[in-house]
Amino acid sequence: MRIGIGVYDDRLSAVGLHPDGSRTALSAPLSSGIEVSLDRLLTRFPTPAGDAVDSLAFDLSAVLRRADDAPLTVVRIAPRPPVERTDEPHVGSAPILHVRGGHTTLGDELAPFDAEGFRAASAGIPAGSRVVITSVGSFANPGHELAAGEILLEHGGPLSVTFSHTFDSNSFATRERTAELNGAMVADAEALTTSLSLIAGRRFPGARLSVTRNDGGRVPLSRLASSPVHSALSGQPMEFLGGAAFCGLAEGDLVLATGEGPILGSVRDSVPAVVPQLRWNGARLATQAAHLVPATRILLHGRNPAPRLVKALGAELDDWLDDGSAVEADTDLRALGAAVAPLSDWALGVVSAGNAAEMAHELRAAEARVHARLVAFGALPSTVRIVESRLVATTYEHARVVSVRVHGVATEPTGEGAHDAAER
């Protein structure tokens, strides 16, 4: 059995998927903290003989919090400081250290890293600070970001350091913004990971624990602490995926009526269509995200076949939507989405390839990395499938520089299905 759990500010909602296709739905108020409430909820789950719990997937998007109590320092590494410093993006009053360095899109050094200058300037960073390091060209060569991180290790006080090169984007500002948000949520993510692992591990010691992601998939819960930004906005994708599972849609368009209005998206091979960046508070974040947009009469007009229509629990349909074709959910779709979400992994980055053979080699290598990581997550090799594999030209960049984009997923079988698959 697989169990998906949606964690909200005021309650826990859980859906269990049994090997025979049936579902068990439970909920519990969040009145005594997540740990106590989760323990009580899992105690109530029926686990008949032969129906062991193989997997627990958590959607934590409603309770992941950013902590802004620690001081923030931003380190920007570039060949020269900006000409005007009056319009620093998004970091408010945080001090910004400008350091000489940076690389080209081919990974060649634009300017030597000013290690001594940064060592002197970083001595003024307060103990216990959050530090975000962004370097020009670090998506191709992270050397200068890592060098700055090594210098910060010399500090006596504890520091939380986030590197922008761990997020896929050729935009300096997008990487920095994503790194800053990620670093602000790490402390909360670490606490949630520890608490959920202890409670769920004690109740179901053989179950694999995972957390949902913005792309409509999930990864092992242990990865939440390092990259919570990829799970921070997973609630709507999970609700959408749950709606598709509820009406049995594996391929096509779906309109999901939620409490915040209808949303439109596409399901391809049982996973949501994905875009490479997500808008958050009007800004772009470097995280793969399910492509969901507000549904309007104009967007839906003339679509053939017409999108499926699902109404989430407690939602109201807009007057212009056809009430007669709507399927009304009787369970929490976010929890259901977490239960059916596949394991997901990406290979993203820029490579240098000058001909078709080199490009094909880079794609095969990326697909192999994704396949290996999904197996390491616990997926059976036979369940892994590559749903997207392509090279994308980098506009206005060097002719040999292309972006690799590979997405792989794997759906874990449960119960007897898991045993049969293992035997094969």
Side-chain angles (χ1 to χ4, degrees):
M1 178 168 66
R2 291 202 305 269
I3 299 176
I5 301 175
V7 183
Y8 299 88
D9 286 320
D10 59 347
R11 71 188 190 280
L12 297 174
S13 293
V15 174
L17 301 180
H18 301 273
D20 61 3
S22 62
R23 295 195 298 264
T24 297
L26 295 174
S27 63
L30 197 62
S31 57
S32 304
I34 292 178
E35 297 86 351
V36 175
S37 299
L38 176 62
D39 192 51
R40 290 174 180 170
L41 181 70
L42 295 181
T43 302
R44 293 166 50 199
F45 249 99
T47 53
D51 192 7
V53 175
D54 303 293
S55 170
L56 284 97
F58 297 93
D59 183 278
L60 303 171
S61 56
V63 294
L64 270 174
R65 302 281 188 262
R66 58 175 296 149
D68 293 319
D69 51 340
L72 170 66
T73 297
V74 176
V75 177
R76 292 179 178 165
I77 304 172
R80 61 172 178 80
V83 176
E84 297 182 8
R85 304 188 186 184
T86 57
D87 186 24
E88 302 289 7
H90 92 275
V91 292
S93 59
I96 299 172
L97 300 182
H98 294 280
V99 184
R100 182 174 172 80
H103 293 85
T104 69
T105 54
L106 288 173
D108 299 325
E109 193 173 71
L110 281 169
F113 177 61
D114 183 9
E116 292 308 312
F118 178 62
R119 180 173 285 106
S122 64
I125 298 177
S129 292
R130 291 188 295 113
V131 181
V132 173
I133 304 177
T134 315
S135 177
V136 170
S138 63
F139 60 90
N141 187 336
H144 289 176
E145 286 191 9
L146 296 174
E150 289 182 5
I151 291 174
L152 290 177
L153 290 177
E154 301 171 5
H155 280 258
L159 292 171
S160 170
V161 180
T162 307
F163 300 103
S164 81
H165 71 263
T166 59
F167 303 101
D168 177 69
S169 174
N170 58 4
S171 166
F172 187 100
T174 299
R175 290 199 313 276
E176 182 180 276
R177 187 182 303 115
T178 309
E180 190 275 327
L181 178 60
N182 189 82
M185 294 190 296
V186 164
D188 197 39
E190 289 176 341
L192 284 169
T193 299
T194 301
S195 299
L196 297 177
S197 298
L198 290 174
I199 299 300
R202 183 170 67 241
R203 186 62 57 186
F204 299 117
R208 290 191 176 94
L209 309 181
S210 55
V211 64
T212 60
R213 289 203 139 185
N214 305 333
D215 64 356
R218 57 191 173 88
V219 294
L221 182 61
S222 59
R223 295 189 60 170
L224 175 67
S226 62
S227 54
V229 70
H230 296 315
S231 297
L233 299 167
S234 63
Q236 195 175 71
M238 285 301 113
E239 204 169 5
F240 178 81
L241 189 62
F246 190 83
C247 69
L249 180 66
E251 195 83 19
D253 296 337
L254 171 70
V255 174
L256 175 65
T258 71
E260 299 177 353
I263 56 174
L264 170 67
S266 297
V267 180
R268 299 289 180 261
D269 198 11
S270 298
V271 296
V274 176
V275 290
Q277 290 185 341
L278 179 64
R279 283 200 173 273
W280 172 77
N281 289 346
R284 293 185 182 277
L285 294 179
T287 177
Q288 310 302 308
H291 188 207
L292 305 175
V293 298
T296 63
R297 192 194 301 265
I298 294 176
L299 272 180
L300 300 184
H301 178 72
R303 286 181 177 256
N304 188 21
R308 300 287 290 275
L309 177 59
V310 175
K311 185 167 72 171
L313 200 62
E316 298 293 335
L317 284 180
D318 289 4
D319 294 339
W320 56 271
L321 289 171
D322 181 11
D323 188 42
S325 65
V327 177
E328 187 166 0
D330 59 358
T331 189
D332 185 272
L333 293 182
R334 188 174 297 190
L336 177 59
V340 302
L343 290 168
S344 176
D345 192 61
W346 293 82
L348 304 162
V350 294
V351 297
S352 177
N355 54 52
E358 291 178 355
M359 293 180 184
H361 171 77
E362 294 292 349
L363 273 185
R364 287 194 301 270
E367 290 175 3
R369 292 196 300 273
V370 169
H371 191 284
R373 282 198 294 263
L374 287 170
V375 172
F377 290 172
L380 295 170
S382 60
T383 66
V384 176
R385 64 187 192 277
I386 302 297
V387 295
E388 182 179 356
S389 179
R390 58 194 175 111
L391 295 170
V392 182
T394 51
T395 310
Y396 305 121
E397 300 287 358
H398 193 282
R400 287 182 57 90
V401 176
V402 292
S403 296
V404 174
R405 182 175 171 83
V406 174
H407 183 201
V409 298
T411 302
E412 293 178 330
T414 60
E416 295 177 2
H419 176 73
D420 295 342
E423 290 293 323
R424 291 197 296 271

